[in-house]
Amino acid sequence: MKWALVIVHNSAGAKLWFSDGEPIGAVRGGSESSHRLIIDKQGFIDITLPYSSLPSFIDLNNTATMCPEGLVNINLTLPGDGSFSFFITPSIPVHFTGTLKPLPEVSDDDASFLNEMIDSCYVPYQDIQGAPGKDVAEIKALGLRHFPFSPHSFQMAMAVYDWTTASFARMVLMKIFEYTSIPSIPYPLDSPSVATAIWESNWGSYVPSNKFYMNSFMMKPASTLQDVQDQLHDVEARLQRFSTVQNRLLGAAFAAMPRTSIFHAPQLFSGQLDMSQLNLDQFGIEMLECPLNAGPTSQSLTVSFTAAMATFVKVGSIITTKMVWSFADSIDIAKHYQNGLILVVNPPDNDSWVWDGASYITPLSDDPEKNEYTFAPGTSFIVESLDVRDIDEDERNKSVQFLTLKLHVPGSVRDSRTPSRPPLNNIPARRSSGPKSNHHLTNKTGGRRCHCVDDAERN
């Protein structure tokens, strides 16, 4: 089925864009597709064809209606007050109403700080290996396409691009080792653990003797842990601000990216922990609910996986991530990067037909083959289950912990005439043949050694 936006009553005269860069009146569609309409100074409308089976539906921000086969024309009204209404033809002209999704904001200070980091050659990562990468002109163009409503579109696009490189280690380590329950700005930092994590990185060129890896932490190559500790002492305040600013920019960019139909990706998967120098006893500190976040700062941030699962990550608990979490829509990809744990995330129990909390960021990646969905820092999940399963990995069975979560968001308010979202039961998880060899080397989760790379080096 296809659709087109044919009439727009735009009383405020707002500028309009689609995030695909095509003209407003272009014919769009295809099963399980979602396109984001951007209304300047007002908000977003996600226009989604949720799934390919009959009957056919079209959904605008969780307001859905059945529609006939063939080309559907959408007649849209934007009164300028944060709401919208629409009807479709050919059909009985029944008007439906909805609410715009809000535009994220980026501060001038954050944008200026990132510009300083770009000018100082800390952003983007200075040695992209095994991936085509993108130049500044490409990143600027993608920023204008996805974030045309913001004067800081380039900075948002650059923050996402940098995340997909080895710079992600900086943004992760400087967040998970913060004592986030101590009311201080900035939060106190578990500096010894940060230094150790930087020192113990041992994957490919991401080692403390490599100038590009250390540059991403504002440091020079180091030959001892003490050297890393001394350098961290000198740059810690600015490095922590660097991470904080980039994570805020990431949150804004993720909120503005187009959504994905939950029927295209019924579940999302992540292999954890995705850096070789981290282990399962540091999984719990990724959550705001971890009691150790309250200090004392003399106690390092590490909690046994078993203890975490028995307390603040037990079934029924709500957990909130400190950092960006990256996922794929295929368990086959997650298997390659797991370090004893695979996270599985299900959509929330509201009527949303799209992943409102997850952003598909591959268009802004350094590698067009990198399959990546991201949840911003501060995203909450309900713990549904923890169990051990066998996975087939390189023709060997291996037992791995599976932690199943459900995205936790408030229920949406919808037009009473719109149908509820059908259940996701019996929709199979997407699978792939596994990432290609260069995908292993450049995947964001490549901060830990992919098992295929390990096997290749052993042979």
Side-chain angles (χ1 to χ4, degrees):
M1 193 182 81
K2 301 290 185 180
W3 58 268
L5 200 59
V6 292
I7 299 176
V8 179
H9 299 285
N10 182 7
S11 58
K15 292 182 180 179
L16 305 177
W17 307 270
F18 270 101
S19 58
D20 60 11
E22 297 298 318
I24 295 299
V27 175
R28 295 175 170 86
S31 62
E32 300 174 0
S33 66
S34 186
H35 293 77
R36 173 157 280 194
L37 176 64
I38 305 165
I39 302 99
D40 195 28
K41 298 180 176 60
Q42 294 187 40
F44 304 116
I45 300 176
D46 292 318
I47 304 176
T48 307
L49 298 179
Y51 57 98
S52 55
S53 59
L54 296 175
S56 297
F57 288 89
I58 193 164
D59 172 78
L60 281 70
N61 282 10
N62 305 338
T63 298
T65 181
M66 291 179 60
C67 49
E69 288 298 299
L71 180 64
V72 171
N73 296 321
I74 301 174
N75 301 263
L76 181 67
T77 297
L78 299 168
D81 61 357
S83 68
F84 67 90
S85 63
F86 73 97
F87 66 90
I88 63 170
T89 56
S91 181
I92 299 174
V94 177
H95 288 259
F96 295 88
T97 60
T99 302
L100 301 180
K101 297 178 181 180
L103 299 172
E105 295 183 2
V106 171
S107 74
D108 293 340
D109 286 345
D110 282 355
S112 295
F113 187 86
L114 189 70
N115 287 342
E116 291 179 31
M117 298 299 97
I118 295 170
D119 292 342
S120 299
C121 296
Y122 296 128
V123 173
Y125 194 83
Q126 298 294 292
D127 185 34
I128 306 295
Q129 295 188 359
K134 290 180 171 63
D135 60 28
V136 169
E138 290 177 283
I139 296 169
K140 284 183 176 178
L142 286 166
L144 289 172
R145 181 179 130 186
H146 287 289
F147 319 120
F149 60 89
S150 173
H152 306 308
S153 61
F154 168 64
Q155 289 81 5
M156 283 195 283
M158 179 61 83
V160 178
Y161 175 77
D162 198 38
W163 165 263
T164 67
T165 73
S167 291
F168 87 93
R170 174 185 63 247
M171 290 177 254
V172 168
L173 297 180
M174 299 301 292
K175 293 303 289 183
I176 67 174
F177 289 116
E178 287 182 326
Y179 296 91
T180 51
S181 295
I182 296 178
S184 171
I185 299 176
Y187 294 119
L189 194 67
D190 181 1
S191 303
S193 292
V194 173
T196 298
I198 294 171
W199 170 250
E200 291 183 349
S201 180
N202 65 354
W203 187 81
S205 64
Y206 310 130
V207 292
S209 60
N210 181 274
K211 67 178 182 179
F212 300 110
Y213 172 71
M214 294 303 286
N215 180 73
S216 71
F217 293 98
M218 299 180 159
M219 299 182 195
K220 304 295 184 184
S223 57
T224 66
L225 173 59
Q226 185 63 53
D227 188 2
V228 177
Q229 292 171 337
D230 292 343
Q231 291 194 68
L232 179 60
H233 179 268
D234 293 337
V235 302
E236 180 176 294
R238 193 159 177 79
L239 188 61
Q240 191 173 12
R241 184 185 176 195
F242 188 8
S243 169
T244 298
V245 166
Q246 262 195 296
N247 275 284
R248 279 199 295 259
L249 288 167
L250 288 173
F254 295 163
M257 296 287 285
R259 305 294 90 174
T260 299
S261 165
I262 60 173
F263 296 92
H264 173 80
Q267 292 182 309
L268 298 175
F269 306 88
S270 179
Q272 294 287 327
L273 275 74
D274 55 11
M275 297 167 68
S276 62
Q277 64 269 46
L278 301 180
N279 57 59
L280 289 183
D281 289 345
Q282 286 157 324
F283 177 68
I285 68 168
E286 295 183 358
M287 321 301 169
L288 291 177
E289 291 77 13
C290 179
L292 295 178
N293 290 324
T297 56
S298 59
Q299 183 176 3
S300 64
L301 286 170
T302 181
V303 57
S304 78
F305 184 76
T306 300
M309 296 303 109
T311 53
F312 60 95
V313 194
K314 65 183 179 182
V315 173
S317 300
I318 294 176
I319 56 174
T320 308
T321 176
K322 291 180 179 179
M323 51 174 275
V324 175
W325 267 0
S326 282
F327 286 73
D329 56 18
S330 163
I331 194 171
D332 292 324
I333 295 176
K335 287 192 308 186
H336 282 280
Y337 300 98
Q338 58 77 25
N339 193 18
L341 175 66
I342 291 179
L343 302 182
V344 182
V345 172
N346 292 315
D349 288 334
N350 61 11
D351 278 322
S352 180
W353 301 63
V354 297
W355 280 99
D356 274 319
S359 302
Y360 180 64
I361 65 168
T362 293
L364 283 169
S365 174
D366 66 335
D367 184 348
E369 295 186 1
K370 189 180 297 182
N371 179 303
E372 188 167 2
Y373 296 76
T374 49
F375 293 97
T379 304
S380 293
F381 304 86
I382 301 170
V383 180
E384 293 196 307
S385 66
L386 175 68
D387 59 284
V388 178
R389 306 178 201 172
D390 288 337
I391 61 171
D392 57 321
E393 184 180 272
D394 305 317
E395 300 182 353
R396 299 188 302 267
N397 286 331
K398 181 177 181 179
S399 294
V400 174
Q401 299 271 4
F402 274 71
L403 180 61
T404 302
L405 309 171
K406 179 167 59 183
L407 183 61
H408 177 61
V409 295
S412 58
V413 177
R414 60 186 179 87
D415 190 300
S416 61
R417 296 164 296 175
T418 189
S420 296
R421 186 189 77 196
L424 293 173
N425 297 341
N426 303 320
I427 298 177
R430 290 169 57 82
R431 300 185 63 86
S432 74
S433 58
K436 298 179 181 179
S437 58
N438 71 330
H439 182 93
H440 298 326
L441 296 172
T442 60
N443 191 298
K444 174 255 149 187
T445 52
R448 73 169 302 274
R449 297 177 70 86
C450 169
H451 300 303
C452 293
V453 177
D454 287 337
D455 291 344
E457 290 192 354
R458 280 195 295 268
N459 295 329

